[in-house]
Coordinates of all heavy atoms in Angstrom, one line a residue:
D1 N 0.8 -1.2 0.0 CA 0.0 0.0 0.0 C 0.9 1.2 0.0 O 1.5 1.6 1.0 CB -0.9 0.0 1.2 CG -1.9 1.2 1.3 OD1 -1.8 2.1 0.4 OD2 -2.7 1.2 2.1
P2 N 1.0 1.9 -1.2 CA 1.8 3.1 -1.2 C 1.4 4.2 -0.3 O 2.2 5.0 0.2 CB 1.8 3.6 -2.7 CG 0.9 2.6 -3.4 CD 0.4 1.6 -2.4
A3 N 0.1 4.3 0.0 CA -0.5 5.4 0.9 C 0.1 5.3 2.3 O 0.4 6.3 2.9 CB -2.0 5.3 0.9
T4 N 0.3 4.0 2.8 CA 0.8 3.8 4.1 C 2.2 3.4 4.2 O 2.8 3.2 5.2 CB -0.1 2.8 4.9 OG1 0.0 1.5 4.2 CG2 -1.5 3.2 5.0
K5 N 2.8 3.1 3.0 CA 4.2 2.6 2.9 C 4.3 1.2 3.5 O 5.4 0.9 3.9 CB 5.2 3.6 3.5 CG 5.0 5.0 3.1 CD 5.6 5.3 1.7 CE 5.7 6.8 1.5 NZ 5.6 7.1 0.1
Q6 N 3.2 0.5 3.6 CA 3.3 -0.8 4.2 C 3.3 -1.9 3.2 O 2.6 -1.9 2.2 CB 2.1 -1.0 5.1 CG 2.1 -0.1 6.3 CD 3.2 -0.3 7.3 OE1 3.4 -1.4 7.7 NE2 4.0 0.8 7.5
V7 N 4.1 -3.0 3.4 CA 4.2 -4.2 2.6 C 3.9 -5.3 3.5 O 4.7 -5.5 4.5 CB 5.5 -4.3 1.9 CG1 5.6 -5.6 1.1 CG2 5.8 -3.1 0.9
S8 N 2.9 -6.1 3.2 CA 2.6 -7.3 4.0 C 2.9 -8.5 3.1 O 2.5 -8.6 1.9 CB 1.2 -7.4 4.5 OG 0.9 -6.3 5.3
V9 N 3.6 -9.5 3.6 CA 4.0 -10.7 2.9 C 3.7 -11.9 3.6 O 4.0 -12.0 4.8 CB 5.5 -10.6 2.6 CG1 6.0 -11.8 1.7 CG2 5.9 -9.3 1.9
Q10 N 3.1 -12.9 3.0 CA 2.9 -14.2 3.5 C 3.8 -15.1 2.6 O 3.7 -15.2 1.4 CB 1.5 -14.7 3.4 CG 0.5 -14.0 4.3 CD -0.9 -14.6 4.2 OE1 -1.4 -14.8 3.1 NE2 -1.5 -14.8 5.3
S11 N 4.8 -15.8 3.3 CA 5.8 -16.5 2.5 C 6.4 -17.6 3.4 O 6.4 -17.5 4.6 CB 6.9 -15.5 2.1 OG 8.0 -16.1 1.5
Q12 N 7.0 -18.5 2.7 CA 7.8 -19.6 3.3 C 9.2 -19.0 3.7 O 9.9 -19.6 4.5 CB 8.0 -20.8 2.4 CG 6.7 -21.5 1.9 CD 6.0 -22.1 3.1 OE1 6.6 -22.5 4.1 NE2 4.7 -22.3 2.9
L13 N 9.6 -17.9 3.1 CA 10.9 -17.4 3.3 C 11.0 -16.7 4.7 O 10.0 -16.1 5.2 CB 11.2 -16.3 2.3 CG 11.3 -16.8 0.8 CD1 11.4 -15.6 -0.1 CD2 12.4 -17.7 0.6
P14 N 12.1 -16.8 5.4 CA 12.3 -16.1 6.6 C 12.3 -14.6 6.4 O 12.6 -14.1 5.3 CB 13.6 -16.6 7.2 CG 14.3 -17.1 6.0 CD 13.3 -17.6 5.0
R15 N 12.0 -13.8 7.5 CA 11.9 -12.4 7.4 C 13.2 -11.7 6.8 O 13.1 -10.9 5.9 CB 11.7 -11.8 8.8 CG 11.6 -10.3 8.8 CD 11.2 -9.7 10.2 NE 11.1 -8.3 10.2 CZ 10.0 -7.7 9.8 NH1 8.9 -8.3 9.4 NH2 10.0 -6.3 9.8
G16 N 14.4 -12.2 7.1 CA 15.6 -11.6 6.6 C 15.7 -11.8 5.1 O 16.2 -10.9 4.4
A17 N 15.2 -13.0 4.6 CA 15.3 -13.2 3.2 C 14.3 -12.3 2.4 O 14.6 -11.8 1.3 CB 15.0 -14.7 2.9
V18 N 13.1 -12.1 3.0 CA 12.1 -11.2 2.4 C 12.7 -9.8 2.3 O 12.6 -9.1 1.3 CB 10.8 -11.3 3.1 CG1 9.8 -10.2 2.5 CG2 10.2 -12.7 3.0
A19 N 13.3 -9.4 3.5 CA 13.9 -8.0 3.5 C 15.0 -7.9 2.5 O 15.1 -6.8 1.8 CB 14.4 -7.7 4.9
A20 N 15.8 -8.9 2.3 CA 16.9 -8.9 1.3 C 16.3 -8.7 -0.1 O 16.8 -8.0 -1.0 CB 17.7 -10.1 1.4
V21 N 15.2 -9.4 -0.4 CA 14.6 -9.3 -1.7 C 14.1 -7.9 -2.0 O 14.3 -7.3 -3.0 CB 13.4 -10.4 -1.9 CG1 12.6 -10.1 -3.1 CG2 14.0 -11.8 -1.9
L22 N 13.4 -7.3 -0.9 CA 13.0 -6.0 -1.1 C 14.1 -5.0 -1.3 O 14.0 -4.1 -2.2 CB 12.2 -5.6 0.2 CG 10.9 -6.2 0.4 CD1 10.4 -5.9 1.8 CD2 9.9 -5.7 -0.6
A23 N 15.2 -5.2 -0.6 CA 16.4 -4.3 -0.7 C 17.0 -4.4 -2.1 O 17.3 -3.4 -2.8 CB 17.4 -4.6 0.3
E24 N 17.1 -5.7 -2.6 CA 17.7 -5.9 -4.0 C 16.8 -5.3 -5.0 O 17.3 -4.8 -6.1 CB 17.8 -7.4 -4.2 CG 19.0 -8.0 -3.5 CD 19.0 -9.6 -3.8 OE1 18.5 -10.0 -4.8 OE2 19.5 -10.3 -2.8
A25 N 15.5 -5.2 -4.8 CA 14.6 -4.6 -5.8 C 14.6 -3.1 -5.7 O 14.0 -2.4 -6.5 CB 13.2 -5.1 -5.6

């Protein structure tokens, strides 16, 4: 949601891996 700057993810990946994917993007 760009209005709130929030990203919610349901994933098998651990939090650190999701954060890394976001950073790489």
Side-chain angles (χ1 to χ4, degrees):
D1 184 353
T4 62
K5 311 282 191 206
Q6 295 296 305
V7 177
S8 299
V9 182
Q10 289 181 317
S11 176
Q12 300 293 338
L13 299 172
R15 182 174 179 84
V18 175
V21 169
L22 289 170
E24 284 176 30

